Amino acid sequence: AYRLAGRAEELARVLEERAADGKAPNARDLLLERASLLEERLGRHDLAIECLQKLLTLAPDDARVGSELERLLSGQRRWEELA
């Protein structure tokens, strides 16, 4: 319903709640969607980075997550976190 209504902030909150413990079978997808929403629709790069960092702890071998995190950190010039 939030997607259809264009209520990005509420959708980001719901996605976070659903993936909170990382045990949901689709937690990865929920967190990726939340990170994308935070970055693209809400302009909250800082929160998108936090979301991806959390996801990387849950799935450290996930190349897509690592790539997205690297892209965001570079875009925000957070060089020390890339090392």
Side-chain angles (χ1 to χ4, degrees), residues 15-82:
L15 292 170
E16 180 179 29
E17 289 170 2
R18 289 187 180 166
D21 63 4
K23 295 179 184 174
N26 60 343
R28 175 191 177 275
D29 295 334
L30 294 172
L31 289 170
L32 279 173
E33 182 178 356
R34 181 172 189 268
S36 176
L37 182 69
L38 288 166
E39 177 193 8
E40 296 170 10
R41 301 265 316 275
L42 298 173
R44 294 298 311 265
H45 298 97
D46 56 331
L47 294 178
I49 288 169
E50 286 178 23
C51 185
L52 290 171
Q53 288 171 329
K54 176 181 179 178
L55 183 51
L56 199 57
T57 65
L58 299 173
D61 297 326
D62 192 317
R64 178 177 175 200
V65 174
S67 174
E68 286 296 307
L69 182 57
E70 185 177 311
R71 182 183 60 76
L72 274 174
L73 288 171
S74 294
Q76 295 300 301
R77 301 182 189 275
R78 291 170 61 169
W79 311 122
E80 67 284 350
E81 294 175 66
L82 285 170

Short mmCIF file of all heavy atoms in Angstrom, two decimals, residues 15-82:
data_model
loop_
_atom_site.label_atom_id
_atom_site.label_comp_id
_atom_site.label_asym_id
_atom_site.label_seq_id
_atom_site.Cartn_x
_atom_site.Cartn_y
_atom_site.Cartn_z
N LEU A 15 9.91 -1.67 5.96
CA LEU A 15 10.95 -2.59 5.47
C LEU A 15 11.97 -2.87 6.57
O LEU A 15 12.42 -4.00 6.74
CB LEU A 15 11.62 -2.03 4.23
CG LEU A 15 10.76 -1.96 2.97
CD1 LEU A 15 11.47 -1.17 1.89
CD2 LEU A 15 10.39 -3.35 2.49
N GLU A 16 12.33 -1.83 7.31
CA GLU A 16 13.28 -2.01 8.40
C GLU A 16 12.71 -2.93 9.47
O GLU A 16 13.40 -3.82 9.97
CB GLU A 16 13.65 -0.66 9.01
CG GLU A 16 14.64 -0.77 10.16
CD GLU A 16 15.01 0.57 10.74
OE1 GLU A 16 14.19 1.51 10.69
OE2 GLU A 16 16.12 0.68 11.25
N GLU A 17 11.46 -2.72 9.82
CA GLU A 17 10.83 -3.55 10.85
C GLU A 17 10.76 -5.01 10.43
O GLU A 17 11.02 -5.91 11.22
CB GLU A 17 9.42 -3.03 11.16
CG GLU A 17 9.42 -1.72 11.90
CD GLU A 17 8.04 -1.09 12.00
OE1 GLU A 17 7.05 -1.69 11.52
OE2 GLU A 17 7.95 0.02 12.56
N ARG A 18 10.42 -5.26 9.19
CA ARG A 18 10.29 -6.64 8.70
C ARG A 18 11.62 -7.36 8.64
O ARG A 18 11.66 -8.58 8.78
CB ARG A 18 9.61 -6.65 7.34
CG ARG A 18 8.15 -6.30 7.43
CD ARG A 18 7.47 -6.48 6.12
NE ARG A 18 6.06 -6.14 6.23
CZ ARG A 18 5.28 -5.95 5.19
NH1 ARG A 18 5.74 -6.09 3.97
NH2 ARG A 18 4.01 -5.62 5.37
N ALA A 19 12.70 -6.62 8.41
CA ALA A 19 14.01 -7.25 8.28
C ALA A 19 14.86 -7.06 9.54
O ALA A 19 16.04 -7.40 9.53
CB ALA A 19 14.74 -6.66 7.08
N ALA A 20 14.28 -6.57 10.60
CA ALA A 20 15.02 -6.15 11.79
C ALA A 20 16.01 -7.17 12.33
O ALA A 20 17.15 -6.84 12.60
CB ALA A 20 14.05 -5.73 12.88
N ASP A 21 15.59 -8.39 12.49
CA ASP A 21 16.49 -9.36 13.10
C ASP A 21 17.33 -10.13 12.08
O ASP A 21 18.19 -10.92 12.44
CB ASP A 21 15.72 -10.35 13.97
CG ASP A 21 14.72 -11.18 13.19
OD1 ASP A 21 14.66 -11.06 11.95
OD2 ASP A 21 14.00 -11.96 13.83
N GLY A 22 17.08 -9.90 10.81
CA GLY A 22 17.84 -10.56 9.76
C GLY A 22 17.48 -12.01 9.54
O GLY A 22 18.10 -12.70 8.75
N LYS A 23 16.46 -12.49 10.24
CA LYS A 23 16.08 -13.90 10.14
C LYS A 23 14.95 -14.17 9.16
O LYS A 23 14.68 -15.31 8.84
CB LYS A 23 15.71 -14.43 11.52
CG LYS A 23 16.88 -14.43 12.47
CD LYS A 23 16.51 -14.93 13.84
CE LYS A 23 17.71 -14.82 14.76
NZ LYS A 23 17.39 -15.14 16.13
N ALA A 24 14.30 -13.12 8.70
CA ALA A 24 13.24 -13.30 7.71
C ALA A 24 13.85 -13.90 6.45
O ALA A 24 14.97 -13.54 6.07
CB ALA A 24 12.57 -11.96 7.39
N PRO A 25 13.15 -14.84 5.80
CA PRO A 25 13.71 -15.48 4.62
C PRO A 25 14.08 -14.49 3.51
O PRO A 25 15.00 -14.74 2.73
CB PRO A 25 12.62 -16.43 4.14
CG PRO A 25 11.52 -16.36 5.11
CD PRO A 25 11.83 -15.31 6.12
N ASN A 26 13.40 -13.36 3.46
CA ASN A 26 13.67 -12.37 2.43
C ASN A 26 14.32 -11.11 3.00
O ASN A 26 14.22 -10.04 2.43
CB ASN A 26 12.38 -12.03 1.69
CG ASN A 26 11.33 -11.46 2.61
OD1 ASN A 26 11.40 -11.59 3.83
ND2 ASN A 26 10.33 -10.82 2.04
N ALA A 27 15.02 -11.24 4.13
CA ALA A 27 15.64 -10.09 4.79
C ALA A 27 16.60 -9.35 3.85
O ALA A 27 16.61 -8.13 3.81
CB ALA A 27 16.36 -10.52 6.06
N ARG A 28 17.37 -10.10 3.07
CA ARG A 28 18.31 -9.48 2.14
C ARG A 28 17.58 -8.57 1.16
O ARG A 28 17.96 -7.43 0.95
CB ARG A 28 19.09 -10.55 1.38
CG ARG A 28 20.01 -9.99 0.31
CD ARG A 28 20.55 -11.10 -0.60
NE ARG A 28 21.37 -10.59 -1.66
CZ ARG A 28 20.92 -10.14 -2.83
NH1 ARG A 28 19.63 -10.13 -3.09
NH2 ARG A 28 21.74 -9.69 -3.75
N ASP A 29 16.52 -9.09 0.57
CA ASP A 29 15.77 -8.31 -0.41
C ASP A 29 15.12 -7.10 0.23
O ASP A 29 15.09 -6.01 -0.37
CB ASP A 29 14.72 -9.17 -1.09
CG ASP A 29 15.34 -10.28 -1.93
OD1 ASP A 29 16.49 -10.11 -2.39
OD2 ASP A 29 14.68 -11.32 -2.11
N LEU A 30 14.60 -7.26 1.44
CA LEU A 30 13.96 -6.15 2.14
C LEU A 30 14.98 -5.04 2.43
O LEU A 30 14.69 -3.85 2.23
CB LEU A 30 13.33 -6.62 3.45
CG LEU A 30 12.15 -7.57 3.34
CD1 LEU A 30 11.77 -8.12 4.70
CD2 LEU A 30 10.96 -6.90 2.67
N LEU A 31 16.17 -5.43 2.88
CA LEU A 31 17.19 -4.43 3.20
C LEU A 31 17.74 -3.77 1.94
O LEU A 31 18.02 -2.57 1.94
CB LEU A 31 18.31 -5.06 4.02
CG LEU A 31 17.91 -5.42 5.45
CD1 LEU A 31 19.00 -6.25 6.12
CD2 LEU A 31 17.60 -4.18 6.27
N LEU A 32 17.88 -4.52 0.86
CA LEU A 32 18.31 -3.91 -0.40
C LEU A 32 17.27 -2.91 -0.91
O LEU A 32 17.62 -1.82 -1.38
CB LEU A 32 18.55 -4.98 -1.46
CG LEU A 32 19.90 -5.70 -1.40
CD1 LEU A 32 19.93 -6.85 -2.40
CD2 LEU A 32 21.03 -4.73 -1.69
N GLU A 33 16.02 -3.28 -0.80
CA GLU A 33 14.96 -2.36 -1.23
C GLU A 33 14.96 -1.11 -0.36
O GLU A 33 14.81 0.01 -0.84
CB GLU A 33 13.60 -3.05 -1.15
CG GLU A 33 12.48 -2.16 -1.62
CD GLU A 33 11.11 -2.82 -1.62
OE1 GLU A 33 11.01 -4.02 -1.32
OE2 GLU A 33 10.13 -2.10 -1.91
N ARG A 34 15.15 -1.30 0.96
CA ARG A 34 15.18 -0.15 1.86
C ARG A 34 16.35 0.77 1.53
O ARG A 34 16.20 1.99 1.48
CB ARG A 34 15.27 -0.61 3.31
CG ARG A 34 15.28 0.53 4.29
CD ARG A 34 15.17 0.05 5.73
NE ARG A 34 14.97 1.19 6.59
CZ ARG A 34 15.97 1.86 7.17
NH1 ARG A 34 17.22 1.47 7.00
NH2 ARG A 34 15.71 2.90 7.94
N ALA A 35 17.53 0.20 1.30
CA ALA A 35 18.71 1.01 0.97
C ALA A 35 18.47 1.81 -0.31
O ALA A 35 18.79 3.00 -0.38
CB ALA A 35 19.94 0.12 0.83
N SER A 36 17.89 1.17 -1.30
CA SER A 36 17.60 1.84 -2.56
C SER A 36 16.60 2.98 -2.36
O SER A 36 16.77 4.08 -2.88
CB SER A 36 17.05 0.82 -3.55
OG SER A 36 16.68 1.45 -4.74
N LEU A 37 15.58 2.72 -1.60
CA LEU A 37 14.55 3.72 -1.30
C LEU A 37 15.15 4.91 -0.56
O LEU A 37 14.89 6.07 -0.90
CB LEU A 37 13.45 3.06 -0.46
CG LEU A 37 12.25 3.89 -0.08
CD1 LEU A 37 11.42 4.20 -1.31
CD2 LEU A 37 11.41 3.13 0.93
N LEU A 38 15.98 4.62 0.44
CA LEU A 38 16.61 5.70 1.21
C LEU A 38 17.50 6.56 0.33
O LEU A 38 17.48 7.79 0.45
CB LEU A 38 17.44 5.10 2.36
CG LEU A 38 16.64 4.50 3.51
CD1 LEU A 38 17.54 3.65 4.39
CD2 LEU A 38 15.96 5.59 4.32
N GLU A 39 18.23 5.92 -0.54
CA GLU A 39 19.13 6.67 -1.42
C GLU A 39 18.38 7.44 -2.49
O GLU A 39 18.54 8.65 -2.64
CB GLU A 39 20.13 5.72 -2.08
CG GLU A 39 21.05 6.45 -3.05
CD GLU A 39 21.84 5.52 -3.95
OE1 GLU A 39 21.60 4.30 -3.95
OE2 GLU A 39 22.68 6.05 -4.69
N GLU A 40 17.58 6.72 -3.26
CA GLU A 40 17.00 7.30 -4.47
C GLU A 40 15.78 8.19 -4.22
O GLU A 40 15.62 9.20 -4.89
CB GLU A 40 16.64 6.17 -5.43
CG GLU A 40 17.86 5.41 -5.91
CD GLU A 40 17.52 4.15 -6.66
OE1 GLU A 40 16.33 3.93 -6.99
OE2 GLU A 40 18.45 3.36 -6.92
N ARG A 41 14.92 7.79 -3.33
CA ARG A 41 13.68 8.55 -3.14
C ARG A 41 13.78 9.58 -2.02
O ARG A 41 13.13 10.62 -2.06
CB ARG A 41 12.52 7.61 -2.84
CG ARG A 41 12.25 6.58 -3.91
CD ARG A 41 11.19 6.92 -4.94
NE ARG A 41 9.97 7.51 -4.49
CZ ARG A 41 8.90 6.85 -4.04
NH1 ARG A 41 8.91 5.55 -3.99
NH2 ARG A 41 7.83 7.50 -3.67
N LEU A 42 14.57 9.25 -0.97
CA LEU A 42 14.62 10.13 0.19
C LEU A 42 15.93 10.91 0.30
O LEU A 42 16.04 11.79 1.13
CB LEU A 42 14.39 9.32 1.48
CG LEU A 42 13.02 8.64 1.56
CD1 LEU A 42 12.95 7.74 2.78
CD2 LEU A 42 11.91 9.67 1.59
N GLY A 43 16.92 10.55 -0.53
CA GLY A 43 18.19 11.26 -0.48
C GLY A 43 18.95 11.07 0.82
O GLY A 43 19.80 11.88 1.17
N ARG A 44 18.67 9.99 1.53
CA ARG A 44 19.32 9.72 2.82
C ARG A 44 20.45 8.72 2.62
O ARG A 44 20.36 7.56 2.97
CB ARG A 44 18.29 9.19 3.83
CG ARG A 44 17.23 10.18 4.24
CD ARG A 44 17.80 11.41 4.95
NE ARG A 44 18.74 11.10 6.02
CZ ARG A 44 18.42 11.01 7.30
NH1 ARG A 44 17.19 11.20 7.69
NH2 ARG A 44 19.35 10.72 8.19
N HIS A 45 21.53 9.20 2.03
CA HIS A 45 22.67 8.35 1.74
C HIS A 45 23.26 7.76 3.01
O HIS A 45 23.71 6.62 3.01
CB HIS A 45 23.72 9.14 0.96
CG HIS A 45 23.22 9.61 -0.36
ND1 HIS A 45 22.74 10.88 -0.55
CD2 HIS A 45 23.09 8.97 -1.53
CE1 HIS A 45 22.35 11.02 -1.80
NE2 HIS A 45 22.54 9.88 -2.41
N ASP A 46 23.27 8.54 4.09
CA ASP A 46 23.82 8.06 5.35
C ASP A 46 23.07 6.83 5.85
O ASP A 46 23.67 5.83 6.26
CB ASP A 46 23.82 9.18 6.40
CG ASP A 46 22.43 9.78 6.62
OD1 ASP A 46 21.59 9.78 5.68
OD2 ASP A 46 22.16 10.27 7.73
N LEU A 47 21.74 6.88 5.79
CA LEU A 47 20.94 5.75 6.24
C LEU A 47 21.02 4.57 5.28
O LEU A 47 20.99 3.41 5.69
CB LEU A 47 19.49 6.16 6.45
CG LEU A 47 19.24 7.16 7.58
CD1 LEU A 47 17.76 7.53 7.65
CD2 LEU A 47 19.72 6.60 8.91
N ALA A 48 21.16 4.86 3.99
CA ALA A 48 21.33 3.79 3.01
C ALA A 48 22.64 3.06 3.26
O ALA A 48 22.70 1.82 3.20
CB ALA A 48 21.30 4.36 1.59
N ILE A 49 23.69 3.79 3.60
CA ILE A 49 24.98 3.18 3.92
C ILE A 49 24.86 2.31 5.16
O ILE A 49 25.34 1.18 5.19
CB ILE A 49 26.07 4.26 4.07
CG1 ILE A 49 26.41 4.85 2.70
CG2 ILE A 49 27.31 3.71 4.77
CD1 ILE A 49 27.27 6.09 2.74
N GLU A 50 24.19 2.82 6.19
CA GLU A 50 23.99 2.03 7.42
C GLU A 50 23.25 0.74 7.11
O GLU A 50 23.59 -0.32 7.64
CB GLU A 50 23.22 2.84 8.45
CG GLU A 50 24.01 3.93 9.12
CD GLU A 50 23.16 4.72 10.11
OE1 GLU A 50 22.13 4.20 10.60
OE2 GLU A 50 23.54 5.87 10.39
N CYS A 51 22.24 0.83 6.30
CA CYS A 51 21.44 -0.32 5.93
C CYS A 51 22.30 -1.37 5.21
O CYS A 51 22.25 -2.57 5.52
CB CYS A 51 20.28 0.13 5.05
SG CYS A 51 19.11 -1.17 4.63
N LEU A 52 23.12 -0.92 4.28
CA LEU A 52 23.99 -1.84 3.53
C LEU A 52 25.08 -2.43 4.43
O LEU A 52 25.44 -3.59 4.29
CB LEU A 52 24.61 -1.14 2.33
CG LEU A 52 23.64 -0.82 1.20
CD1 LEU A 52 24.29 0.08 0.16
CD2 LEU A 52 23.10 -2.09 0.57
N GLN A 53 25.57 -1.64 5.37
CA GLN A 53 26.57 -2.15 6.30
C GLN A 53 25.96 -3.26 7.17
O GLN A 53 26.60 -4.28 7.42
CB GLN A 53 27.13 -1.03 7.18
CG GLN A 53 28.05 -0.11 6.41
CD GLN A 53 28.44 1.13 7.18
OE1 GLN A 53 27.68 1.64 8.00
NE2 GLN A 53 29.63 1.64 6.91
N LYS A 54 24.73 -3.06 7.60
CA LYS A 54 24.04 -4.09 8.37
C LYS A 54 23.87 -5.35 7.53
O LYS A 54 24.13 -6.46 7.99
CB LYS A 54 22.68 -3.59 8.84
CG LYS A 54 21.87 -4.64 9.56
CD LYS A 54 20.51 -4.13 9.98
CE LYS A 54 19.74 -5.24 10.67
NZ LYS A 54 18.45 -4.80 11.15
N LEU A 55 23.47 -5.15 6.31
CA LEU A 55 23.26 -6.29 5.41
C LEU A 55 24.57 -7.03 5.15
O LEU A 55 24.59 -8.25 5.09
CB LEU A 55 22.64 -5.81 4.10
CG LEU A 55 22.29 -6.87 3.07
CD1 LEU A 55 21.46 -8.00 3.67
CD2 LEU A 55 21.55 -6.24 1.91
N LEU A 56 25.66 -6.30 5.04
CA LEU A 56 26.95 -6.93 4.79
C LEU A 56 27.37 -7.80 5.98
O LEU A 56 28.02 -8.83 5.79
CB LEU A 56 28.01 -5.88 4.50
CG LEU A 56 29.27 -6.35 3.81
CD1 LEU A 56 28.95 -7.04 2.48
CD2 LEU A 56 30.21 -5.19 3.57
N THR A 57 26.97 -7.44 7.19
CA THR A 57 27.28 -8.30 8.34
C THR A 57 26.46 -9.58 8.30
O THR A 57 26.91 -10.62 8.78
CB THR A 57 27.03 -7.59 9.69
OG1 THR A 57 25.64 -7.30 9.83
CG2 THR A 57 27.85 -6.32 9.80
N LEU A 58 25.28 -9.51 7.71
CA LEU A 58 24.42 -10.70 7.59
C LEU A 58 24.84 -11.58 6.41
O LEU A 58 24.65 -12.80 6.45
CB LEU A 58 22.96 -10.28 7.41
CG LEU A 58 22.34 -9.47 8.54
CD1 LEU A 58 20.96 -8.99 8.14
CD2 LEU A 58 22.28 -10.29 9.81
N ALA A 59 25.37 -10.96 5.37
CA ALA A 59 25.75 -11.69 4.16
C ALA A 59 27.10 -11.16 3.66
O ALA A 59 27.17 -10.46 2.65
CB ALA A 59 24.68 -11.53 3.09
N PRO A 60 28.18 -11.49 4.37
CA PRO A 60 29.49 -10.91 4.04
C PRO A 60 30.03 -11.27 2.66
O PRO A 60 30.89 -10.57 2.14
CB PRO A 60 30.41 -11.43 5.14
CG PRO A 60 29.70 -12.60 5.73
CD PRO A 60 28.23 -12.39 5.50
N ASP A 61 29.53 -12.33 2.06
CA ASP A 61 30.02 -12.74 0.74
C ASP A 61 29.14 -12.26 -0.41
O ASP A 61 29.36 -12.65 -1.55
CB ASP A 61 30.13 -14.27 0.69
CG ASP A 61 31.14 -14.80 1.68
OD1 ASP A 61 32.14 -14.10 1.92
OD2 ASP A 61 30.92 -15.89 2.23
N ASP A 62 28.17 -11.42 -0.11
CA ASP A 62 27.24 -10.95 -1.12
C ASP A 62 27.91 -9.84 -1.95
O ASP A 62 28.07 -8.72 -1.48
CB ASP A 62 25.96 -10.44 -0.46
CG ASP A 62 24.84 -10.21 -1.45
OD1 ASP A 62 25.11 -9.64 -2.53
OD2 ASP A 62 23.71 -10.58 -1.14
N ALA A 63 28.29 -10.17 -3.17
CA ALA A 63 29.01 -9.23 -4.03
C ALA A 63 28.18 -7.99 -4.35
O ALA A 63 28.73 -6.88 -4.42
CB ALA A 63 29.43 -9.92 -5.32
N ARG A 64 26.88 -8.16 -4.55
CA ARG A 64 26.04 -7.01 -4.89
C ARG A 64 26.01 -6.01 -3.74
O ARG A 64 26.11 -4.80 -3.95
CB ARG A 64 24.62 -7.45 -5.23
CG ARG A 64 23.73 -6.26 -5.53
CD ARG A 64 22.35 -6.64 -5.95
NE ARG A 64 21.53 -5.45 -6.12
CZ ARG A 64 20.23 -5.45 -6.11
NH1 ARG A 64 19.56 -6.58 -5.99
NH2 ARG A 64 19.56 -4.33 -6.26
N VAL A 65 25.87 -6.51 -2.53
CA VAL A 65 25.83 -5.62 -1.37
C VAL A 65 27.16 -4.88 -1.23
O VAL A 65 27.19 -3.66 -1.03
CB VAL A 65 25.52 -6.42 -0.08
CG1 VAL A 65 25.63 -5.53 1.15
CG2 VAL A 65 24.14 -7.05 -0.17
N GLY A 66 28.27 -5.60 -1.37
CA GLY A 66 29.58 -4.97 -1.29
C GLY A 66 29.76 -3.90 -2.35
O GLY A 66 30.29 -2.82 -2.07
N SER A 67 29.31 -4.19 -3.54
CA SER A 67 29.42 -3.24 -4.65
C SER A 67 28.58 -1.98 -4.40
O SER A 67 29.04 -0.86 -4.63
CB SER A 67 29.00 -3.92 -5.94
OG SER A 67 28.97 -3.02 -7.00
N GLU A 68 27.36 -2.18 -3.95
CA GLU A 68 26.48 -1.03 -3.66
C GLU A 68 27.05 -0.18 -2.53
O GLU A 68 27.03 1.04 -2.59
CB GLU A 68 25.08 -1.52 -3.29
CG GLU A 68 24.28 -2.02 -4.47
CD GLU A 68 23.99 -0.94 -5.48
OE1 GLU A 68 23.47 0.13 -5.11
OE2 GLU A 68 24.30 -1.15 -6.66
N LEU A 69 27.56 -0.84 -1.50
CA LEU A 69 28.15 -0.11 -0.38
C LEU A 69 29.37 0.68 -0.83
O LEU A 69 29.52 1.86 -0.48
CB LEU A 69 28.51 -1.09 0.74
CG LEU A 69 29.11 -0.46 2.00
CD1 LEU A 69 28.17 0.58 2.60
CD2 LEU A 69 29.41 -1.54 3.03
N GLU A 70 30.21 0.07 -1.63
CA GLU A 70 31.39 0.76 -2.15
C GLU A 70 31.00 1.97 -2.98
O GLU A 70 31.59 3.04 -2.87
CB GLU A 70 32.22 -0.21 -2.98
CG GLU A 70 33.52 0.36 -3.49
CD GLU A 70 34.33 -0.67 -4.25
OE1 GLU A 70 34.51 -1.79 -3.74
OE2 GLU A 70 34.78 -0.33 -5.36
N ARG A 71 29.99 1.81 -3.82
CA ARG A 71 29.52 2.91 -4.67
C ARG A 71 29.02 4.09 -3.82
O ARG A 71 29.36 5.25 -4.06
CB ARG A 71 28.40 2.42 -5.59
CG ARG A 71 27.87 3.47 -6.54
CD ARG A 71 26.71 2.95 -7.37
NE ARG A 71 25.58 2.53 -6.56
CZ ARG A 71 24.71 3.36 -5.98
NH1 ARG A 71 24.86 4.67 -6.09
NH2 ARG A 71 23.69 2.90 -5.29
N LEU A 72 28.22 3.78 -2.80
CA LEU A 72 27.68 4.84 -1.94
C LEU A 72 28.78 5.52 -1.12
O LEU A 72 28.80 6.75 -1.00
CB LEU A 72 26.62 4.28 -1.00
CG LEU A 72 25.21 4.21 -1.56
CD1 LEU A 72 24.28 3.51 -0.59
CD2 LEU A 72 24.68 5.60 -1.86
N LEU A 73 29.68 4.73 -0.56
CA LEU A 73 30.76 5.32 0.23
C LEU A 73 31.64 6.21 -0.65
O LEU A 73 32.03 7.30 -0.22
CB LEU A 73 31.60 4.22 0.88
CG LEU A 73 30.93 3.47 2.03
CD1 LEU A 73 31.76 2.26 2.44
CD2 LEU A 73 30.69 4.38 3.22
N SER A 74 31.93 5.78 -1.86
CA SER A 74 32.72 6.60 -2.78
C SER A 74 31.98 7.88 -3.13
O SER A 74 32.57 8.96 -3.14
CB SER A 74 33.02 5.82 -4.07
OG SER A 74 33.85 4.74 -3.83
N GLY A 75 30.70 7.76 -3.41
CA GLY A 75 29.90 8.92 -3.76
C GLY A 75 29.81 9.95 -2.64
O GLY A 75 29.69 11.15 -2.89
N GLN A 76 29.90 9.48 -1.41
CA GLN A 76 29.84 10.37 -0.25
C GLN A 76 31.24 10.76 0.24
O GLN A 76 31.38 11.41 1.27
CB GLN A 76 29.05 9.70 0.89
CG GLN A 76 27.60 9.46 0.56
CD GLN A 76 26.89 10.76 0.26
OE1 GLN A 76 26.84 11.66 1.09
NE2 GLN A 76 26.33 10.87 -0.94
N ARG A 77 32.25 10.32 -0.52
CA ARG A 77 33.65 10.63 -0.20
C ARG A 77 34.04 10.15 1.20
O ARG A 77 34.79 10.81 1.91
CB ARG A 77 33.95 12.11 -0.38
CG ARG A 77 33.70 12.59 -1.79
CD ARG A 77 34.04 14.06 -1.93
NE ARG A 77 33.62 14.59 -3.19
CZ ARG A 77 34.31 14.53 -4.32
NH1 ARG A 77 35.46 13.92 -4.35
NH2 ARG A 77 33.84 15.06 -5.42
N ARG A 78 33.54 9.00 1.57
CA ARG A 78 33.87 8.41 2.87
C ARG A 78 34.98 7.39 2.66
O ARG A 78 34.83 6.20 2.85
CB ARG A 78 32.61 7.80 3.48
CG ARG A 78 31.62 8.89 3.90
CD ARG A 78 30.27 8.39 4.29
NE ARG A 78 30.25 7.50 5.42
CZ ARG A 78 29.13 7.13 6.05
NH1 ARG A 78 27.96 7.60 5.64
NH2 ARG A 78 29.18 6.29 7.04
N TRP A 79 36.14 7.94 2.26
CA TRP A 79 37.27 7.12 1.83
C TRP A 79 37.78 6.19 2.92
O TRP A 79 38.15 5.05 2.64
CB TRP A 79 38.41 8.00 1.33
CG TRP A 79 38.01 9.05 0.35
CD1 TRP A 79 38.19 10.40 0.47
CD2 TRP A 79 37.35 8.88 -0.92
NE1 TRP A 79 37.69 11.06 -0.62
CE2 TRP A 79 37.16 10.14 -1.50
CE3 TRP A 79 36.88 7.76 -1.61
CZ2 TRP A 79 36.55 10.33 -2.73
CZ3 TRP A 79 36.26 7.94 -2.84
CH2 TRP A 79 36.11 9.22 -3.39
N GLU A 80 37.82 6.68 4.15
CA GLU A 80 38.38 5.88 5.23
C GLU A 80 37.59 4.60 5.46
O GLU A 80 38.12 3.59 5.90
CB GLU A 80 38.48 6.69 6.54
CG GLU A 80 37.15 7.08 7.16
CD GLU A 80 36.41 8.23 6.49
OE1 GLU A 80 37.00 8.90 5.61
OE2 GLU A 80 35.26 8.46 6.85
N GLU A 81 36.31 4.61 5.14
CA GLU A 81 35.47 3.42 5.33
C GLU A 81 35.64 2.42 4.19
O GLU A 81 35.21 1.28 4.30
CB GLU A 81 34.02 3.83 5.48
CG GLU A 81 33.77 4.61 6.76
CD GLU A 81 32.37 5.13 6.86
OE1 GLU A 81 31.44 4.29 6.96
OE2 GLU A 81 32.19 6.36 6.81
N LEU A 82 36.25 2.86 3.10
CA LEU A 82 36.48 1.97 1.97
C LEU A 82 37.74 1.11 2.17
O LEU A 82 37.87 0.08 1.54
CB LEU A 82 36.65 2.77 0.67
CG LEU A 82 35.36 3.32 0.09
CD1 LEU A 82 35.67 4.28 -1.04
CD2 LEU A 82 34.48 2.19 -0.40
#
